[in-house]
Amino acid sequence: MYIKINQVTDWVAEIVDFDCASMTPETTREVEESFKRNHVLAFRDQSMTPSELSAFAKKFGPLETPINQLYVHPESSDVLILSNEIRTDGTAVGVVDGGDGWHSDSSHMKSPAKATILQSIKNPDIGGDTLYCNMELVLNALPSSTRKRIAGRFGVHNVSKLLNPRMTLSAKRPDAQEFYQKAAATKPSVLQPMIRTHPATGVQSLYVSPRFTIAIEGMSENEAQPLLDELFAYISDEKFQYRHIWSDNDVVMWDNRCLNHKATGNLAPGDIRRMHRTVLSGDEAF
Ligand code: OGA
Ligand code: MN
């Protein structure tokens, strides 16, 4: 072994004494191996530039083009800026409402994200944690009657918050209304299996989220919405969760194929949080 792994929980690990910017083929392979056993990997003290972050991420596979071109980093168009900072002219520095509500990244796309790699550039004094929910544990916890109701079914996923009564538009995001209106008009819903099989491990997980799953295909609204509420309630149960409390220069890589996650917000007024984000492309879910 070239890399040192500090197990945090059964499914979360820190890779310690590690420099993401100077990975070799051997260390890359060991990180990939460790990512099969762990759904969240954290690397502390990584002061990578946006170009270095992009190069690090690309060692694990091709990247998604950021959905919001307005807020990509000028140094690397692979890197999306998430930040609550608003300039004096009223424009936002990054995506203000990134990670609002429990979700799995780009499940609204036909081939959703495999993994997301997020680097903390500046952390607030209070708040700004990210929560992760292990959807394999959630699936195992479902009563067999509920599991039967979702077996073989598909969730309807859509990116627009305007089509999702469980979501509200962030008042702090200047272009939210326009952005989600355009999304509603141009990005059709996609179907995703409600029970997903992890392509690398074969383990099944519940693959729905309050942020993107707005209906169940072929099921009436009267039946589907209470069932979705029942499923979503599990995600809020702390026993399935890991909370990442960020330090500046943390890099966290998570597996979107078996997790939900969300930004917790709750920053003090005037405090700034800034993250740099890259996303690894994935295959169609099955
Ligand atoms: C994301 C995301 C959460 C956060 O980058 O996909 O959901 O806490 N981020 O910033
Ligand atoms: Mn996300």
Side-chain angles (χ1 to χ4, degrees):
M1 284 292 273
Y2 294 92
I3 66 170
K4 228 161 93 188
I5 300 169
N6 174 18
Q7 206 65 41
V8 178
T9 75
D10 283 353
W11 51 278
V12 177
E14 281 185 16
I15 311 292
V16 291
D17 303 330
F18 192 80
D19 180 16
C20 292
S22 58
M23 280 211 305
T24 63
E26 289 76 24
T27 57
T28 306
R29 190 156 15 87
E30 287 186 5
V31 171
E32 278 172 336
E33 274 310 307
S34 154
F35 195 56
K36 282 185 201 158
R37 290 188 299 277
N38 294 289
H39 304 328
V40 180
L41 289 181
F43 309 79
R44 305 278 188 184
D45 300 315
Q46 308 295 326
S47 57
M48 288 184 285
T49 65
S51 308
E52 285 172 329
L53 172 62
S54 158
F56 168 68
K58 279 180 180 157
K59 294 212 167 143
F60 303 107
L63 304 185
E64 282 185 6
T65 303
I67 181 171
N68 196 325
Q69 284 298 314
L70 262 183
Y71 302 119
V72 295
H73 198 284
E75 185 184 309
S76 169
S77 58
D78 296 328
V79 175
L80 183 67
I81 302 168
L82 310 183
S83 179
N84 61 322
E85 189 176 0
I86 306 287
R87 298 185 191 94
T88 45
D89 66 2
T91 58
V93 169
V95 178
V96 172
D97 58 352
D100 256 12
W102 286 104
H103 64 285
S104 173
D105 287 331
S106 53
S107 73
H108 52 85
M109 301 192 330
K110 200 161 181 292
S111 295
K114 170 176 154 184
T116 302
I117 300 176
L118 199 58
Q119 178 188 23
S120 156
I121 304 300
K122 184 191 172 309
N123 273 288
D125 290 336
I126 300 166
D129 303 344
T130 307
L131 280 175
Y132 296 90
C133 178
N134 184 328
M135 301 299 283
E136 297 172 349
L137 300 180
V138 169
L139 181 67
N140 280 335
L142 297 182
S144 60
S145 55
T146 305
R147 194 170 167 146
K148 275 196 200 109
R149 291 178 71 197
I150 63 172
R153 292 247 179 212
F154 291 83
V156 177
H157 293 234
N158 195 291
V159 72
S160 180
K161 287 185 179 176
L162 297 172
L163 302 179
N164 186 343
R166 291 184 180 86
M167 299 301 301
T168 47
L169 292 189
S170 164
K172 295 187 204 111
R173 178 167 170 174
D175 65 338
Q177 182 77 24
E178 193 191 341
F179 180 80
Y180 286 117
Q181 233 156 30
K182 192 167 164 217
T186 58
K187 305 232 159 64
S189 293
V190 305
L191 298 182
Q192 301 289 1
M194 295 184 76
I195 298 177
R196 177 172 190 180
T197 303
H198 195 290
T201 65
V203 179
Q204 291 185 313
S205 64
L206 179 68
Y207 193 57
V208 294
S209 74
R211 169 67 184 84
F212 293 132
T213 313
I214 56 172
I216 298 175
E217 203 219 4
M219 194 183 275
S220 72
E221 282 292 276
N222 286 346
E223 194 183 348
Q225 294 308 330
L227 177 54
L228 288 173
D229 284 334
E230 180 191 333
L231 297 172
F232 295 158
Y234 284 83
I235 304 174
S236 324
D237 189 330
E238 278 182 22
K239 68 173 178 275
F240 305 124
Q241 295 173 4
Y242 162 70
R243 175 182 289 265
H244 191 80
I245 300 171
W246 297 87
S247 299
D248 291 357
N249 294 330
D250 278 2
V251 168
V252 173
M253 173 171 172
W254 69 80
D255 195 332
N256 286 299
R257 300 165 297 185
C258 53
L259 298 180
N260 263 7
H261 62 279
K262 76 163 180 178
T264 59
N266 283 320
L267 276 57
D271 209 349
I272 299 293
R273 179 182 194 255
R274 178 184 171 113
M275 317 293 273
H276 287 173
R277 177 184 196 259
T278 54
V279 180
L280 292 168
S281 302
D283 299 319
E284 275 184 48
F286 58 87

